[in-house]
């Protein structure tokens, strides 16, 4: 999906990936993160968001909850993280990084709530009155203030399976009533997901979720609560930041944009450059096909081709379709290739749901390649 654009816009990344694998410094089933380019992408996003008056929170699940990269993104100007689940929150907390939004897409477990509130997060997203009551109780106990984002959902909204949760519009007055019992908890904003979807051509279009958000904002106003934050996540990048502003949003959450891998980046050249490739190795040949080590396959990744060879020569080959029902011990190509050949691919992924390693590499753009660390897909350091 991103192989052509990566070869054209970041050929140094491909060269570095081949060299590191051929030297035995990287094992197959490893994603390489180009740290220099991620930092450049971050700076560019920060500058664009400032012009539009949009607050950004960075998301790390796409590149494996990596704390080292998260620290660099923080240092480059996106100061706080939005964590997709409580396990990602714990990784960021261990790194000592500020949290911007916790609870969306996955709610905080009851017995972890106090720990996260003691650590501190600017916003918490809630799906239920019970969650709001727990937050109020802890805020009163600890005498701390907490701002809340309310996730809203209606029957015509676009919601992915496995992500259902939130308040229907007719439930919002109950939230207002409960929150008015204390000054320590503030209903500050509303959110939903996804707020943009790719049209399959060259545009990201607002979903009906945006209309639900606008209606929620009006309902809260009628209940005496002035909503100041409108969180508009999904595919936050240079192309959507102006759209967030246009539809009344105040917050965006770049994830794939940090590595230049939103669907739009496969169709058009945006300021964010590709900063991630997948590295594997040919294991064996059988019946005219080459089989390379798997582990990083993502069923929505559009993984269709790869570059295969060594530092002297790379050839392109198609990757055979793979069933979602099976485990990707191996993936195969349409032709045979020498055993031990490097395989380079670039496709849409969510590293945190793979079993891949993640190599954070600096200096690629300067010709002084350095592996800063090898991590697992969940952000744990394997070795430096």
């Amino acid at each position: 999906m991103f192989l052509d654009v990566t070869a054209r816009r970041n050929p140094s990344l491909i060269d570095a990936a081949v060299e590191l694998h051929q030297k035995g410094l990287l094992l197959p089933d490893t994603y390489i993160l180009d740290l220099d380019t991620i930092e450049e992408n971050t700076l560019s996003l920060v500058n664009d968001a400032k012009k539009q008056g949009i607050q950004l929170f960075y998301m790390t699940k796409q590149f494996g909850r990596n704390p080292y990269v998260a620290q660099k993104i923080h240092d480059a100007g996106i100061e706080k993280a939005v964590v997709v689940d409580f396990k990602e929150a714990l990784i960021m907390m261990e790194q000592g990084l500020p949290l911007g939004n916790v609870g969306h897409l996955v709610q905080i477990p009851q017995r972890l709530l106090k720990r996260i509130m003691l650590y501190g997060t600017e916003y918490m997203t809630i799906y239920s009155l019970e969650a709001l009551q727990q937050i109020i109780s802890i805020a009163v106990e600890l005498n701390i203030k907490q701002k809340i984002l309310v996730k809203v959902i209606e029957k015509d909204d676009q919601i992915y399976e496995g992500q259902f949760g939130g308040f229907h519009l007719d439930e919002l007055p109950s939230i207002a009533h409960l929150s008015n019992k204390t000054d320590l908890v503030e209903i500050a904003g509303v959110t939903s997901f996804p707020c943009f979807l790719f049209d399959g051509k060259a545009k990201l279009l607002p979903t009906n979720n945006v209309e639900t958000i606008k209606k929620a904002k009006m309902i809260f106003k009628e209940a005496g609560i002035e909503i100041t934050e409108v969180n508009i996540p999904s595919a936050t990048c240079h192309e959507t930041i102006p759209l967030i502003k246009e539809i009344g949003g105040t917050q965006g959450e770049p994830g794939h944009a940090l590595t230049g891998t939103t669907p739009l980046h496969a169709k058009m050249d945006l300021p964010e450059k590709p900063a991630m490739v997948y590295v594997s190795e040919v294991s064996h040949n059988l019946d005219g096909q080459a089989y390379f080590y798997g582990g990083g396959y993502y069923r929505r990744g559009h993984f269709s081709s790869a570059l295969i060879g060594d530092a002297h020569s790379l050839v392109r080959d198609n990757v055979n379709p793979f069933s979602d029902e099976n485990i990707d011990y191996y993936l195969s190509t349409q032709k045979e290739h020498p055993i031990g050949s490097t395989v380079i691919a670039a496709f849409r992924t969510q590293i945190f749901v793979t079993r891949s390693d993640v190599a954070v590499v600096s200096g690629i753009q300067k010709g002084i390649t350095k592996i800063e660390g090898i991590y697992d897909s969940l952000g744990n350091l394997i070795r430096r």
Side-chain angles (χ1 to χ4, degrees):
M1 183 174 181
F2 301 107
L3 192 58
D4 290 340
V5 67
T6 304
R8 180 167 51 82
R9 300 192 70 195
N10 196 350
S12 297
L13 173 55
I14 292 176
D15 292 342
V18 174
E19 179 184 9
L20 291 171
H21 173 257
Q22 288 288 312
K23 287 183 176 179
L25 298 174
L26 294 181
L27 293 173
D29 186 27
T30 297
Y31 285 94
I32 295 182
L33 301 180
D34 177 352
L35 191 59
D36 300 2
T37 301
I38 290 174
E39 289 177 300
E40 291 175 6
N41 289 344
T42 302
L43 288 168
S44 182
L45 285 163
V46 167
N47 291 334
D48 197 29
K50 284 182 178 178
K51 292 176 185 177
Q52 299 291 340
I54 301 297
Q55 182 181 21
L56 297 181
F57 300 130
Y58 64 87
M59 180 171 283
T60 69
K61 68 182 177 70
Q62 292 90 338
F63 52 86
R65 299 175 178 164
N66 193 277
Y68 189 89
V69 176
Q71 183 69 59
K72 295 297 183 180
I73 293 169
H74 168 272
D75 296 344
I78 305 180
E79 296 182 355
K80 298 180 180 180
V82 51
V83 295
V84 73
D85 61 20
F86 53 92
K87 294 181 180 179
E88 190 172 335
L90 293 174
I91 291 288
M92 297 301 108
M93 290 161 65
E94 289 172 8
Q95 184 70 16
L97 289 164
L99 298 176
N101 182 13
V102 183
H104 190 204
L105 295 167
V106 179
Q107 293 280 272
I108 306 167
Q110 293 183 22
R111 290 161 186 82
L112 190 59
L113 193 56
K114 183 184 289 188
R115 179 177 171 186
I116 289 179
M117 289 180 68
L118 278 169
Y119 182 85
T121 177
E122 187 171 0
Y123 299 96
M124 282 186 166
T125 297
I126 60 168
Y127 290 9
S128 67
L129 283 174
E130 290 84 356
L132 179 58
Q133 182 59 69
Q134 291 163 8
I135 292 169
I136 290 173
S137 298
I138 294 172
V140 171
E141 176 189 348
L142 302 177
N143 193 31
I144 58 175
K145 293 188 175 182
Q146 181 62 58
K147 291 189 285 187
I148 298 295
L149 299 178
V150 176
K151 183 181 180 183
V152 290
I153 180 173
E154 286 293 283
K155 65 178 182 178
D156 293 328
D157 290 351
Q158 171 72 47
I159 306 293
Y160 295 116
E161 187 175 356
Q163 297 180 12
F164 286 95
F167 292 91
H168 293 301
L169 294 177
D170 61 8
E171 297 175 295
L172 299 185
S174 299
I175 300 174
H177 176 74
L178 182 56
S179 66
N180 285 334
K181 293 184 178 181
T182 177
D183 294 331
L184 294 177
V185 173
E186 173 191 355
I187 304 299
V190 290
T191 187
S192 183
F193 181 85
C195 294
F196 294 102
L197 282 179
F198 184 50
D199 69 352
K201 298 177 182 178
K203 289 185 179 180
L204 286 163
L205 302 176
T207 63
N208 190 70
N209 305 37
V210 173
E211 296 304 312
T212 301
I213 285 175
K214 291 178 179 179
K215 292 175 183 177
K217 188 176 178 181
M218 292 302 299
I219 291 171
F220 275 123
K221 185 175 182 179
E222 293 170 359
I225 294 177
E226 194 68 31
I227 294 298
T228 59
E229 305 298 333
V230 179
N231 181 269
I232 306 288
S234 71
T236 302
C237 62
H238 277 84
E239 193 73 7
T240 55
I241 287 174
L243 297 179
I244 292 173
K245 180 71 172 181
E246 184 179 318
I247 62 180
T250 64
Q251 298 175 353
E253 300 177 350
H256 278 297
L258 298 165
T259 53
T261 53
T262 77
L264 275 182
H265 289 86
K267 298 291 185 179
M268 56 195 301
D269 287 354
L270 299 177
E272 307 97 342
K273 294 180 180 179
M276 176 169 60
V277 294
Y278 180 70
V279 181
S280 189
E281 175 183 318
V282 174
S283 166
H284 58 277
N285 293 294
L286 178 66
D287 297 331
Q289 298 180 345
Y291 287 79
F292 61 92
Y293 297 95
Y297 175 77
Y298 178 60
R299 60 186 176 83
R300 296 173 61 208
H302 303 285
F303 188 178
S304 59
S305 62
L307 294 173
I308 304 170
D310 55 29
H312 302 292
S313 175
L314 290 173
V315 297
R316 186 171 184 140
D317 198 356
N318 292 327
V319 174
N320 293 318
F322 188 79
S323 170
D324 295 338
E325 298 176 356
N326 297 316
I327 299 172
D328 60 327
Y329 295 109
Y330 297 103
L331 299 173
S332 63
T333 59
Q334 291 185 355
K335 300 176 182 178
E336 290 190 351
H337 297 276
I339 292 173
S341 296
T342 301
V343 178
I344 303 293
F347 50 91
R348 186 169 174 84
T349 188
Q350 298 279 352
I351 293 179
F352 83 119
V353 299
T354 73
R355 58 185 189 276
S356 304
D357 290 344
V358 179
V360 180
V361 183
S362 65
I364 290 174
Q365 303 306 316
K366 302 172 185 176
I368 48 173
T369 302
K370 178 185 177 183
I371 299 176
E372 299 290 346
I374 307 291
Y375 295 78
D376 67 16
S377 61
L378 299 178
N380 301 299
L381 181 65
I382 299 173
R383 62 185 182 278
R384 295 196 183 279

